């Protein structure tokens, strides 16, 4: 800027020096006293060149000034945006810290309340034990009194009638006292049962709130980290939240139930050594069941090939097959229950629960039912054939036990077939009434020991859960 002004000033001086006439003094060659004046002018082309140069310099100076103004406006607007961003981040950081403190206070309150409930429960259990001890003591006393009364009635037959009436009256009074005591004990046991139910519900609520607190911390950690990077004076509480470890994904639907989830629907799980995937969870009062198959309206074609049954198909909110690989990732270590629910066109229902183990791809996803005792009639349609392991079959992979027939092609869909005749819940879906031809009806959804091989069922649901859920129920 200063260089440009100096250049313009120099040009103006040159123009003034060359654009105006001036006098030049000097002596004549003859040495006379006469002084002669001479006038000199700059050339017109030189003047035009200088003027044109000045115009270009002025235009360049104007463009430079305009460009500098635009840059200053951009810098000013960016500074305003930065200031607003810093202010907003500061407010967000304060809000997150306030929420964190509130959640911590709430969690502390819940822990205190849980401790109080545990104390009350311990007191009630002690009282119940005392009452039971008193009941046993009264029972012993009652037995001794009954023996004494019997001996008195048998050995004192010669006594007067009024004496016998008095003994009977005493025994009656004791019996009334015992009945009253039993009623008190029953009332106390009922109170204990109700208190235990309240405690169970409270524990579920506590687990739910703890899970929500952990989720809130997980979501707040990245945001707090960004706020700390922009605002140097952020507090140490945000740093502590940032260091919190993320929540591990649930391994199945029962794991979700233990974390406080109680609503049936679609969730994301991640079994051990597996990628996350979505499942439909059926939540009950006793736990969470992972649904692996659902048939209800025939909207999905289950006559699929091996790869489809391995990966899964359908819609989780409608009809679907979860996929052999996903089922194996959940139940590969055993200790799971297979729960099968069936319904016919008269809206009658049946249920089968079998402990099972599912092998991997190297075993053709062999299903092994682990039953120590004998199977019931309803269980035998699948359990009897699968005690030693039953590989899965489709029309393009014949792994069934019937040597001369491909059961999946002869019937329909994919299933753990033995000799084609006991069960197939992935067969064709027939609307009511079923077809008249027997060879068509046997291609439907059937469970032989419930409604027969030639009765196409209305719906079926297959679910799995850890064996602990059966013990709890």
């Amino acid at each position: 800027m200063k260089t440009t002004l100096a250049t313009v000033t120099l040009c103006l001086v040159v123009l003034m020096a060359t654009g105006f006439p001036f006098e030049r003094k000097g002596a004549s060659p003859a040495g006379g006293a006469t002084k002669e004046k001479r006038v000199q002018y700059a050339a017109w082309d030189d003047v035009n060149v200088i003027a044109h140069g000045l115009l270009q310099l002025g235009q360049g100076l104007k463009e430079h000034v305009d460009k500098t103004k635009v840059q200053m406006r951009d810098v000013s607007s960016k500074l305003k945006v930065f200031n607003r961003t810093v202010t907003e981040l500061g407010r967000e950081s304060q809000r997150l810290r306030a929420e964190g403190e509130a959640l911590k206070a709430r969690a502390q309150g819940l822990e205190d309340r849980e401790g109080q409930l545990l104390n009350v429960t311990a007191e009630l259990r002690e009282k119940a034990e005392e009452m039971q001890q008193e009941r046993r003591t009264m029972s012993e006393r009652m037995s001794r009194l009954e023996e004494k009364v019997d001996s008195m009635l048998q050995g004192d037959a010669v006594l007067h009638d009024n004496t016998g009436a008095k003994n009977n009256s005493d025994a009656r009074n004791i019996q009334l006292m015992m009945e009253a005591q039993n009623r008190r004990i029953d009332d106390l046991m009922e109170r204990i049962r109700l208190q235990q139910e309240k405690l169970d519900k409270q524990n579920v609520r506590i687990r739910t709130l703890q899970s929500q607190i952990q989720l809130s911390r997980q979501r707040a950690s990245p945001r707090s980290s960004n706020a700390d990077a922009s605002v140097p004076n952020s507090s140490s509480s945000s740093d502590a939240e940032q260091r919190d470890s993320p929540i591990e994904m649930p391994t199945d639907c029962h794991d979700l139930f233990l974390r406080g989830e109680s609503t049936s629907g679609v969730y994301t799980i991640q079994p051990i050594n597996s990628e996350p995937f979505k499942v439909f969870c059926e939540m009950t009062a006793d736990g969470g069941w992972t649904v692996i198959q659902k048939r209800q309206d025939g909207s999905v074609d289950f006559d699929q090939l091996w790869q489809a049954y391995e990966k899964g198909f359908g819609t989780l909110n409608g009809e679907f097959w979860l996929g052999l690989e996903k089922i194996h990732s959940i139940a590969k270590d055993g200790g799971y229950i297979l729960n099968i629910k069936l319904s016919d066109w008269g809206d009658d229902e049946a249920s089968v629960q079998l402990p099972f183990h599912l092998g991997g791809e190297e075993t053709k996803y062999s299903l092994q039912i682990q039953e120590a005792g004998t199977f019931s009639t309803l269980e035998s349609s699948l359990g009897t054939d699968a005690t030693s392991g039953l590989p899965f079959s489709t029309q393009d992979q014949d792994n069934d036990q019937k040597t001369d027939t491909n059961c999946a092609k002869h019937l329909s869909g994919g299933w753990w077939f033995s000799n084609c005749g006991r069960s197939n819940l992935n067969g064709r879906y027939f609307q009511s009434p079923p077809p008249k031809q027997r060879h068509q009806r046997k291609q439907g959804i059937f469970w032989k020991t419930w409604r027969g091989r030639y009765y196409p069922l209305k719906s079926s649901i297959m679910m799995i859960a850890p064996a602990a859920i059966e013990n709890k129920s």
Side-chain angles (χ1 to χ4, degrees):
M1 186 78 177
K2 293 181 179 179
T3 305
T4 305
L5 292 175
T7 304
V8 172
T9 304
L10 181 60
C11 291
L12 289 175
V13 171
V14 173
L15 180 62
M16 291 175 65
T18 58
F20 296 97
F22 61 91
E23 294 182 355
R24 186 175 181 182
K25 296 180 181 181
S28 65
T34 305
K35 295 181 180 180
E36 189 178 69
K37 296 182 180 179
R38 292 183 182 179
V39 180
Q40 228 178 13
Y41 297 92
W44 181 254
D45 292 337
D46 295 338
V47 173
N48 286 334
V49 170
I50 294 173
H52 184 68
L54 288 174
L55 287 174
Q56 289 181 346
L57 287 172
Q59 184 67 25
L61 181 61
K62 181 177 181 301
E63 292 177 356
H64 182 72
V65 170
D66 293 339
K67 185 177 180 180
T68 303
K69 288 181 179 179
V70 172
Q71 293 177 350
M72 291 180 67
R73 284 197 298 270
D74 291 341
V75 171
S76 178
S77 62
K78 290 179 180 179
L79 284 174
K80 291 180 180 179
V81 172
F82 178 77
N83 290 335
R84 286 197 300 268
T85 303
V86 171
T87 303
E88 291 175 357
L89 288 174
R91 293 174 181 173
E92 185 70 13
S93 177
Q94 292 178 357
R95 186 182 67 81
L96 290 174
R97 286 197 294 270
E99 289 181 357
E101 293 297 331
L103 289 173
K104 289 179 181 178
R106 189 174 182 183
Q108 185 62 39
L110 289 173
E111 291 176 357
D112 296 340
R113 188 172 180 182
E114 183 180 11
Q116 295 175 0
L117 290 173
L118 292 175
N119 293 334
V120 172
T121 304
E123 293 177 0
L124 289 174
R125 287 176 180 172
E126 292 177 358
K127 291 181 180 179
E129 292 176 357
E130 293 176 358
M131 294 297 293
Q132 289 176 356
Q133 183 64 31
E134 291 180 2
R135 184 175 182 176
R136 287 192 293 270
T137 304
M138 292 298 294
S139 297
E140 293 175 357
R141 292 177 61 186
M142 186 65 184
S143 298
R144 290 195 297 269
L145 287 172
E146 287 177 352
E147 292 175 358
K148 187 175 181 180
V149 169
D150 291 338
S151 62
M152 290 172 64
L153 291 175
Q154 293 175 1
D156 298 335
V158 296
L159 294 177
H160 298 88
D161 294 339
N162 56 352
T163 304
K166 182 178 180 181
N167 291 332
N168 290 333
S169 178
D170 293 340
R172 179 60 180 170
N173 291 333
I174 294 173
Q175 185 176 1
L176 291 175
M177 290 174 60
M178 284 296 300
E179 290 177 355
Q181 189 71 11
N182 289 336
R183 285 194 297 270
R184 288 179 58 192
I185 294 174
D186 292 338
D187 291 340
L188 183 58
M189 294 300 294
E190 180 65 19
R191 289 176 59 188
I192 293 173
R193 187 185 65 80
L194 294 175
Q195 189 68 26
Q196 187 64 41
E197 290 180 357
K198 291 180 180 179
L199 284 173
D200 293 338
K201 293 180 180 179
Q202 190 67 27
N203 288 333
V204 172
R205 291 182 60 191
I206 290 171
R207 289 196 301 268
T208 303
L209 290 173
Q210 289 175 343
S211 177
Q212 292 175 355
I213 291 170
Q214 291 176 348
L215 286 173
S216 299
R217 288 178 177 175
Q218 183 185 13
R219 293 169 182 166
S221 294
R223 300 168 68 182
S224 300
S225 177
N226 293 334
D228 293 342
S230 301
V231 183
N233 295 327
S234 53
S235 66
S236 59
S237 62
S238 297
D239 295 334
E241 291 181 358
Q242 185 179 354
R243 288 192 297 269
D244 288 340
S245 60
I247 303 175
E248 294 183 357
M249 293 285 288
T251 56
D252 58 13
C253 292
H254 189 61
D255 193 3
L256 278 164
F257 174 82
L258 295 178
R259 299 186 184 197
E261 296 291 348
S262 58
T263 304
S264 300
V266 178
Y267 295 89
T268 300
I269 65 171
Q270 185 177 14
I272 299 174
N273 298 328
S274 175
E275 295 295 326
F277 55 87
K278 292 185 179 296
V279 295
F280 188 92
C281 295
E282 186 72 25
M283 299 299 185
T284 66
D286 298 322
W289 292 86
T290 305
V291 181
I292 64 172
Q293 184 250 36
K294 182 182 288 187
R295 307 292 303 276
Q296 60 186 11
D297 54 17
S299 59
V300 175
D301 182 12
F302 272 65
D303 194 14
Q304 302 283 341
L305 301 180
W306 177 268
Q307 186 176 5
Y309 272 98
E310 187 176 32
K311 300 301 180 184
F313 54 86
T315 306
L316 290 177
N317 286 315
E319 290 193 335
F320 68 92
W321 174 261
L322 183 60
L324 292 168
E325 185 60 36
K326 295 175 183 176
I327 301 171
H328 170 68
S329 68
I330 299 173
K332 59 180 178 291
D333 296 328
Y336 269 73
I337 298 294
L338 175 62
N339 185 6
I340 301 174
K341 293 186 176 181
L342 310 170
S343 68
D344 60 15
W345 292 96
D347 291 332
D348 290 333
E349 296 181 349
S351 179
V352 179
Q353 290 191 7
L354 297 167
F356 80 103
H357 173 268
L358 187 66
E361 183 181 8
E362 67 280 359
T363 68
K364 302 299 181 182
Y365 300 102
S366 177
L367 176 71
Q368 183 179 10
I369 300 299
Q370 301 165 336
E371 183 70 23
T374 57
F375 293 100
S376 67
T377 302
L378 197 60
E379 296 171 343
S380 63
S381 283
L382 182 62
T384 301
D385 297 323
T387 52
S388 59
L390 205 59
F392 198 84
S393 294
T394 58
Q395 59 178 288
D396 60 333
Q397 285 212 23
D398 184 9
N399 302 316
D400 58 61
Q401 298 178 352
K402 198 171 182 65
T403 57
D404 57 345
T405 303
N406 184 340
C407 295
K409 186 180 293 185
H410 179 65
L411 300 177
S412 181
W415 189 248
W416 294 280
F417 292 108
S418 56
N419 58 358
C420 306
R422 292 182 178 271
S423 63
N424 180 18
L425 299 184
N426 290 332
R428 294 177 60 187
Y429 191 92
F430 292 114
Q431 301 285 348
S432 180
K436 295 181 180 180
Q437 292 79 9
R438 292 180 63 185
H439 72 278
Q440 290 182 346
R441 292 203 305 272
K442 69 181 181 181
Q443 293 181 350
I445 309 170
F446 69 90
W447 193 267
K448 184 177 179 180
T449 56
W450 187 45
R451 288 292 181 263
R453 182 181 180 186
Y454 301 103
Y455 183 96
L457 298 176
K458 181 180 180 181
S459 67
S460 69
I461 299 177
M462 300 175 63
M463 306 179 291
I464 61 175
I469 195 172
E470 184 183 45
N471 298 331
K472 185 176 180 181
S473 59

